[in-house]
Amino acid sequence: SVAVHSRDLSFSPSDMFAVRIQTFLTAMLASAVYAVPPCPKIHTWHNVTAFRGTWKAQLSSISETARFFWPNCSQMEGPTPTFDIVGGEQVASDSATFGFEIGPGDTFDVAYSLTLVRTSAQPLHPHEPKRALPSQPADDRRLFASMACTYVIAAAGPAQPDVRAEPFNGATCMWERHEGVGENYQVDFSPPSVETDVLV
């Protein structure tokens, strides 16, 4: 049986954001990859999703050789492959966003990065129209002009992921370990109470 507790239902904005994050993480866990694409030699599979917003994702080797693959088993092209992530879109239960292959001669000093940069103010959900983010002032000297998440991904040993997430400009960067498969990455942000043209 499930215990239900009643309490005051007035929430502060931070409480509402926490509830949204908890709901999102529960949904992510429920839709986590249980079957992976049948590609030989792929070491780990990863899902990349967003709760809201549209994001440009980019992968890049940092140390040693990291090779990335689409779920159809074809290798991603170029040293820094990119793909788009749209808020609310889920990864199919028998698929993944990308696979990682350890190159010949790689050790546990191999590392790569996954960076997601928010590219539009909307959609908050996949069926809404996109709206471009406003440009930032020239004198704005932030590392990223837009909201962004950068993950540095390595491993201390077999099945010992070491992931460092760095948020920029109000982004929320999350990740979870999916035992025997890989790690999943989620991005989000706390939207302003009134939609404006100013990026927060």
Coordinates of all heavy atoms in Angstrom, one line a residue, residues 71-138:
P71 N 22.7 4.9 -32.7 CA 22.1 3.6 -32.3 C 21.9 2.7 -33.5 O 21.6 1.5 -33.3 CB 20.7 4.0 -31.7 CG 20.5 5.4 -32.1 CD 21.9 6.0 -32.3
N72 N 22.1 3.1 -34.8 CA 22.1 2.2 -35.9 C 23.4 1.6 -36.2 O 23.6 1.0 -37.2 CB 21.5 3.0 -37.2 CG 22.5 4.0 -37.6 OD1 23.6 4.2 -37.1 ND2 22.1 4.8 -38.7
C73 N 24.4 1.8 -35.2 CA 25.7 1.2 -35.3 C 26.7 1.9 -36.2 O 27.8 1.5 -36.3 CB 25.7 -0.3 -35.6 SG 24.6 -1.3 -34.6
S74 N 26.3 3.0 -36.8 CA 27.2 3.8 -37.7 C 28.0 4.8 -36.8 O 27.4 5.3 -35.8 CB 26.5 4.5 -38.8 OG 25.6 5.5 -38.2
Q75 N 29.3 5.0 -37.1 CA 30.1 5.9 -36.3 C 29.7 7.3 -36.6 O 29.5 7.7 -37.8 CB 31.6 5.6 -36.6 CG 32.5 6.4 -35.7 CD 34.0 6.0 -35.8 OE1 34.3 5.0 -36.4 NE2 34.8 6.7 -35.2
M76 N 29.7 8.1 -35.6 CA 29.5 9.6 -35.7 C 30.7 10.2 -36.4 O 31.8 9.8 -36.2 CB 29.2 10.2 -34.4 CG 28.0 9.8 -33.7 SD 27.8 10.7 -32.1 CE 26.1 10.3 -31.7
E77 N 30.4 11.1 -37.3 CA 31.5 11.7 -38.1 C 32.2 12.9 -37.5 O 31.5 13.6 -36.8 CB 31.0 12.1 -39.5 CG 30.5 10.9 -40.4 CD 30.1 11.4 -41.7 OE1 30.3 12.5 -42.1 OE2 29.5 10.5 -42.4
G78 N 33.5 13.0 -37.7 CA 34.2 14.2 -37.2 C 34.7 14.1 -35.8 O 34.2 13.2 -35.0
P79 N 35.6 14.9 -35.4 CA 36.1 14.8 -34.0 C 35.2 15.4 -33.0 O 35.3 15.1 -31.8 CB 37.4 15.7 -34.1 CG 37.1 16.7 -35.2 CD 36.3 15.9 -36.2
T80 N 34.2 16.2 -33.4 CA 33.2 16.7 -32.4 C 31.8 16.6 -32.9 O 31.2 17.6 -33.4 CB 33.6 18.2 -32.1 OG1 33.6 18.9 -33.3 CG2 34.9 18.4 -31.4
P81 N 31.3 15.4 -33.0 CA 29.9 15.2 -33.5 C 28.9 16.0 -32.7 O 29.0 16.1 -31.5 CB 29.7 13.7 -33.4 CG 30.7 13.2 -32.5 CD 31.8 14.1 -32.5
T82 N 27.8 16.5 -33.4 CA 26.8 17.2 -32.7 C 25.4 16.6 -33.0 O 25.2 15.9 -34.0 CB 26.8 18.7 -33.2 OG1 26.5 18.8 -34.6 CG2 28.1 19.4 -32.8
F83 N 24.4 16.9 -32.2 CA 23.0 16.5 -32.4 C 22.2 17.4 -31.6 O 22.6 18.1 -30.7 CB 22.8 15.0 -32.1 CG 23.4 14.6 -30.7 CD1 22.6 14.6 -29.6 CD2 24.7 14.2 -30.6 CE1 23.1 14.3 -28.3 CE2 25.2 13.8 -29.4 CZ 24.4 13.8 -28.2
D84 N 20.9 17.4 -31.9 CA 19.9 18.3 -31.2 C 19.1 17.5 -30.2 O 18.7 16.4 -30.4 CB 19.0 19.0 -32.2 CG 19.7 20.0 -33.1 OD1 20.6 20.7 -32.6 OD2 19.3 20.0 -34.3
I85 N 18.8 18.2 -29.1 CA 18.0 17.6 -28.0 C 16.8 18.6 -27.8 O 17.0 19.8 -27.6 CB 18.7 17.4 -26.7 CG1 20.0 16.5 -26.9 CG2 17.8 16.9 -25.6 CD1 19.6 15.1 -27.3
V86 N 15.6 18.1 -27.9 CA 14.4 18.9 -27.7 C 13.7 18.5 -26.5 O 13.4 17.3 -26.2 CB 13.4 18.7 -29.0 CG1 12.1 19.5 -28.7 CG2 14.1 19.2 -30.2
G87 N 13.3 19.4 -25.7 CA 12.7 19.2 -24.4 C 11.4 18.4 -24.5 O 10.6 18.6 -25.4
G88 N 11.3 17.4 -23.6 CA 10.1 16.5 -23.6 C 10.2 15.3 -24.5 O 9.4 14.4 -24.4
E89 N 11.1 15.3 -25.4 CA 11.3 14.1 -26.3 C 12.0 13.0 -25.6 O 13.1 13.2 -25.1 CB 12.0 14.5 -27.6 CG 11.1 15.3 -28.6 CD 11.8 15.5 -29.9 OE1 13.0 15.1 -30.1 OE2 11.1 16.1 -30.8
Q90 N 11.5 11.8 -25.6 CA 12.1 10.7 -24.9 C 12.8 9.8 -25.9 O 12.6 9.8 -27.1 CB 11.0 9.8 -24.2 CG 10.3 10.6 -23.1 CD 11.2 11.2 -22.1 OE1 12.0 10.4 -21.6 NE2 11.0 12.4 -21.7
V91 N 13.8 9.0 -25.4 CA 14.5 8.1 -26.2 C 13.8 6.8 -26.2 O 13.3 6.3 -25.2 CB 16.0 7.9 -25.7 CG1 16.7 6.8 -26.5 CG2 16.7 9.2 -25.7
A92 N 13.6 6.1 -27.4 CA 12.9 4.9 -27.5 C 13.5 3.8 -26.6 O 14.7 3.8 -26.3 CB 12.9 4.4 -28.9
S93 N 12.7 2.9 -26.0 CA 13.1 2.0 -25.0 C 14.1 1.0 -25.5 O 14.9 0.4 -24.8 CB 11.9 1.2 -24.4 OG 11.3 0.5 -25.4
D94 N 14.2 0.8 -26.9 CA 15.2 -0.1 -27.4 C 16.3 0.6 -28.1 O 17.0 0.1 -29.0 CB 14.5 -1.1 -28.4 CG 13.9 -0.4 -29.6 OD1 13.7 0.9 -29.5 OD2 13.5 -1.0 -30.5
S95 N 16.5 1.9 -27.8 CA 17.5 2.7 -28.5 C 18.4 3.4 -27.5 O 18.4 3.1 -26.3 CB 16.8 3.7 -29.4 OG 17.7 4.3 -30.2
A96 N 19.1 4.4 -27.9 CA 20.0 5.3 -27.1 C 20.3 6.5 -27.9 O 20.1 6.5 -29.1 CB 21.2 4.5 -26.6
T97 N 20.8 7.5 -27.3 CA 21.3 8.7 -28.0 C 22.6 8.5 -28.7 O 22.8 8.8 -29.8 CB 21.3 9.9 -27.1 OG1 20.1 10.1 -26.4 CG2 21.6 11.2 -27.8
F98 N 23.6 7.9 -27.9 CA 24.9 7.6 -28.5 C 25.5 6.5 -27.8 O 25.3 6.2 -26.6 CB 25.8 8.9 -28.6 CG 26.3 9.3 -27.2 CD1 27.6 8.8 -26.8 CD2 25.6 10.1 -26.4 CE1 28.1 9.2 -25.6 CE2 26.1 10.6 -25.2 CZ 27.4 10.1 -24.8
G99 N 26.5 5.8 -28.5 CA 27.3 4.8 -27.9 C 28.7 5.2 -27.9 O 29.2 6.0 -28.7
F100 N 29.5 4.7 -26.9 CA 30.9 5.0 -26.8 C 31.7 3.8 -26.9 O 31.4 2.7 -26.3 CB 31.2 5.6 -25.4 CG 32.6 5.7 -24.9 CD1 33.5 6.5 -25.6 CD2 33.0 4.9 -23.9 CE1 34.9 6.5 -25.2 CE2 34.3 4.9 -23.5 CZ 35.3 5.7 -24.1
E101 N 32.8 3.8 -27.8 CA 33.7 2.7 -28.0 C 35.1 3.1 -27.5 O 35.6 4.1 -27.9 CB 33.7 2.3 -29.5 CG 34.6 1.1 -29.7 CD 34.8 0.8 -31.2 OE1 35.3 1.7 -31.9 OE2 34.3 -0.2 -31.7
I102 N 35.7 2.2 -26.8 CA 37.1 2.4 -26.4 C 37.9 2.0 -27.6 O 37.8 0.9 -28.2 CB 37.4 1.5 -25.2 CG1 36.6 2.0 -24.0 CG2 38.9 1.6 -24.8 CD1 36.8 1.1 -22.7
G103 N 38.9 2.9 -27.9 CA 39.8 2.7 -29.0 C 40.9 1.7 -28.7 O 41.2 1.5 -27.5
P104 N 41.5 1.1 -29.7 CA 42.7 0.2 -29.4 C 43.8 1.0 -28.6 O 44.1 2.1 -29.0 CB 43.2 -0.1 -30.8 CG 42.0 0.1 -31.7 CD 41.2 1.3 -31.1
G105 N 44.3 0.4 -27.6 CA 45.3 1.0 -26.8 C 44.8 1.9 -25.7 O 45.6 2.4 -24.9
D106 N 43.5 2.2 -25.7 CA 43.0 3.1 -24.6 C 43.1 2.4 -23.3 O 43.0 1.2 -23.1 CB 41.5 3.4 -24.9 CG 41.4 4.5 -25.9 OD1 42.4 5.1 -26.4 OD2 40.2 4.8 -26.3
T107 N 43.3 3.2 -22.3 CA 43.3 2.8 -20.9 C 42.2 3.5 -20.1 O 41.4 4.2 -20.7 CB 44.7 3.1 -20.2 OG1 44.8 4.6 -20.1 CG2 45.8 2.6 -21.1
F108 N 42.2 3.4 -18.8 CA 41.3 4.2 -18.0 C 41.7 5.6 -17.8 O 41.2 6.4 -17.0 CB 41.0 3.5 -16.7 CG 40.1 2.3 -16.8 CD1 40.6 1.0 -16.7 CD2 38.7 2.5 -17.1 CE1 39.7 0.0 -16.9 CE2 37.9 1.5 -17.3 CZ 38.4 0.2 -17.2
D109 N 42.6 6.1 -18.7 CA 42.9 7.5 -18.8 C 42.1 8.1 -19.9 O 42.2 9.3 -20.2 CB 44.4 7.8 -19.0 CG 45.2 7.5 -17.8 OD1 44.7 7.7 -16.7 OD2 46.4 7.0 -18.0
V110 N 41.3 7.3 -20.6 CA 40.4 7.9 -21.6 C 39.3 8.8 -21.0 O 38.8 8.5 -19.9 CB 39.8 6.8 -22.5 CG1 38.8 5.9 -21.6 CG2 39.1 7.3 -23.7
A111 N 39.1 9.9 -21.6 CA 38.0 10.8 -21.1 C 37.5 11.6 -22.3 O 38.1 11.8 -23.3 CB 38.6 11.8 -20.1
Y112 N 36.2 12.0 -22.2 CA 35.6 12.8 -23.2 C 34.6 13.8 -22.6 O 34.3 13.6 -21.4 CB 34.9 11.9 -24.3 CG 33.7 11.1 -23.8 CD1 32.4 11.6 -23.9 CD2 33.9 9.8 -23.3 CE1 31.3 10.8 -23.5 CE2 32.8 9.0 -22.9 CZ 31.5 9.5 -23.0 OH 30.5 8.8 -22.6
S113 N 34.1 14.7 -23.4 CA 33.2 15.7 -22.9 C 31.9 15.6 -23.6 O 31.9 15.3 -24.8 CB 33.7 17.1 -22.9 OG 33.9 17.5 -24.2
L114 N 30.8 16.0 -23.0 CA 29.5 16.2 -23.6 C 29.0 17.6 -23.2 O 28.9 17.8 -22.0 CB 28.5 15.1 -23.1 CG 27.0 15.4 -23.4 CD1 26.7 15.4 -24.9 CD2 26.1 14.4 -22.7
T115 N 28.8 18.4 -24.1 CA 28.4 19.8 -23.9 C 27.1 20.0 -24.5 O 26.9 19.7 -25.7 CB 29.4 20.8 -24.4 OG1 30.7 20.6 -23.7 CG2 29.0 22.2 -24.1
L116 N 26.1 20.6 -23.7 CA 24.8 21.0 -24.3 C 24.6 22.5 -24.1 O 24.8 23.0 -23.0 CB 23.7 20.2 -23.5 CG 23.7 18.7 -23.8 CD1 24.2 18.0 -22.6 CD2 22.4 18.2 -24.2
V117 N 24.3 23.2 -25.2 CA 24.1 24.6 -25.1 C 22.6 24.9 -25.5 O 22.2 24.4 -26.6 CB 25.0 25.3 -26.1 CG1 24.7 26.8 -26.1 CG2 26.5 25.1 -25.6
R118 N 21.9 25.6 -24.8 CA 20.5 25.9 -25.1 C 20.4 26.9 -26.3 O 21.1 27.9 -26.3 CB 19.8 26.6 -23.8 CG 18.4 26.7 -24.0 CD 17.8 27.2 -22.7 NE 16.5 27.8 -22.9 CZ 16.0 28.9 -22.3 NH1 16.7 29.5 -21.4 NH2 14.8 29.3 -22.6
T119 N 19.7 26.5 -27.3 CA 19.7 27.2 -28.5 C 18.4 28.0 -28.8 O 18.4 28.7 -29.8 CB 20.0 26.2 -29.7 OG1 18.9 25.2 -29.7 CG2 21.3 25.6 -29.6
S120 N 17.4 27.8 -28.1 CA 16.2 28.5 -28.3 C 15.4 28.7 -27.0 O 15.5 27.9 -26.1 CB 15.2 27.9 -29.3 OG 14.6 26.7 -28.8
A121 N 14.7 29.8 -26.9 CA 13.9 30.1 -25.7 C 12.8 29.1 -25.6 O 12.3 28.8 -24.5 CB 13.4 31.5 -25.8
Q122 N 12.3 28.6 -26.7 CA 11.3 27.6 -26.8 C 11.7 26.5 -27.7 O 12.7 26.7 -28.4 CB 9.9 28.3 -27.2 CG 9.5 29.4 -26.4 CD 9.0 28.9 -25.0 OE1 8.8 27.7 -24.8 NE2 8.9 29.8 -24.0
P123 N 11.0 25.4 -27.9 CA 9.8 25.1 -27.2 C 10.1 24.6 -25.8 O 11.2 24.0 -25.5 CB 9.2 24.0 -28.0 CG 10.4 23.3 -28.6 CD 11.4 24.4 -28.8
L124 N 9.2 24.8 -24.8 CA 9.3 24.1 -23.6 C 8.9 22.7 -23.7 O 9.3 21.8 -22.9 CB 8.4 24.8 -22.5 CG 8.8 26.3 -22.2 CD1 7.9 26.8 -21.1 CD2 10.2 26.4 -21.8
H125 N 8.2 22.4 -24.8 CA 7.8 21.0 -25.1 C 7.9 20.8 -26.6 O 7.8 21.8 -27.3 CB 6.4 20.7 -24.5 CG 6.4 20.8 -23.0 ND1 6.9 19.9 -22.2 CD2 5.9 21.8 -22.2 CE1 6.8 20.3 -20.9 NE2 6.1 21.4 -20.9
P126 N 8.0 19.6 -27.1 CA 8.3 19.3 -28.5 C 7.3 19.9 -29.5 O 7.7 20.1 -30.6 CB 8.5 17.8 -28.6 CG 8.0 17.3 -27.3 CD 7.9 18.3 -26.3
H127 N 6.1 20.1 -29.2 CA 5.1 20.4 -30.2 C 4.9 21.9 -30.2 O 4.0 22.4 -31.0 CB 3.8 19.7 -29.9 CG 4.0 18.2 -30.0 ND1 4.4 17.5 -31.1 CD2 3.9 17.3 -29.0 CE1 4.5 16.3 -30.9 NE2 4.2 16.1 -29.6
E128 N 5.6 22.7 -29.5 CA 5.5 24.2 -29.5 C 6.5 24.7 -30.5 O 7.6 24.1 -30.8 CB 5.7 24.8 -28.1 CG 4.7 24.4 -27.1 CD 5.0 25.0 -25.8 OE1 5.9 25.8 -25.6 OE2 4.3 24.6 -24.8
P129 N 6.2 25.9 -31.1 CA 7.2 26.5 -32.1 C 8.4 27.0 -31.4 O 8.4 27.4 -30.2 CB 6.4 27.6 -32.7 CG 5.4 28.0 -31.7 CD 5.0 26.7 -31.0
K130 N 9.5 26.9 -32.1 CA 10.8 27.4 -31.6 C 10.9 29.0 -31.7 O 10.3 29.6 -32.6 CB 12.0 26.9 -32.4 CG 12.2 25.4 -32.2 CD 13.4 24.9 -33.0 CE 13.6 23.4 -32.8 NZ 14.7 22.9 -33.6
R131 N 11.6 29.5 -30.7 CA 11.8 31.0 -30.7 C 13.3 31.2 -30.4 O 13.8 30.7 -29.4 CB 10.9 31.7 -29.7 CG 10.9 33.2 -29.8 CD 9.7 33.7 -29.1 NE 9.5 33.1 -27.8 CZ 9.7 33.8 -26.6 NH1 10.0 35.1 -26.7 NH2 9.5 33.2 -25.5
A132 N 14.0 31.9 -31.2 CA 15.4 32.1 -31.0 C 15.7 32.9 -29.7 O 14.9 33.7 -29.3 CB 16.0 32.9 -32.2
L133 N 16.9 32.5 -29.1 CA 17.3 33.3 -27.9 C 17.8 34.6 -28.3 O 18.4 34.8 -29.4 CB 18.4 32.5 -27.2 CG 18.0 31.2 -26.5 CD1 19.2 30.5 -26.1 CD2 17.1 31.5 -25.4
P134 N 17.7 35.6 -27.5 CA 18.2 37.0 -27.8 C 19.7 36.9 -27.8 O 20.3 36.1 -27.0 CB 17.6 37.9 -26.7 CG 17.4 36.9 -25.6 CD 17.0 35.6 -26.2
S135 N 20.4 37.8 -28.6 CA 21.8 37.8 -28.6 C 22.3 38.5 -27.3 O 21.6 39.4 -26.7 CB 22.4 38.5 -29.8 OG 21.8 39.8 -29.8
Q136 N 23.5 38.2 -26.8 CA 24.0 38.8 -25.6 C 24.8 40.0 -26.0 O 25.4 40.1 -27.1 CB 24.9 37.7 -24.9 CG 24.2 36.5 -24.4 CD 23.2 36.9 -23.4 OE1 23.4 37.6 -22.5 NE2 22.0 36.3 -23.5
P137 N 25.0 41.0 -25.0 CA 25.8 42.2 -25.3 C 27.2 41.8 -25.5 O 27.7 40.8 -25.0 CB 25.6 43.0 -24.0 CG 24.5 42.4 -23.3 CD 24.3 41.0 -23.7
A138 N 27.9 42.6 -26.4 CA 29.3 42.3 -26.7 C 30.2 42.3 -25.5 O 31.2 41.7 -25.5 CB 29.8 43.3 -27.8

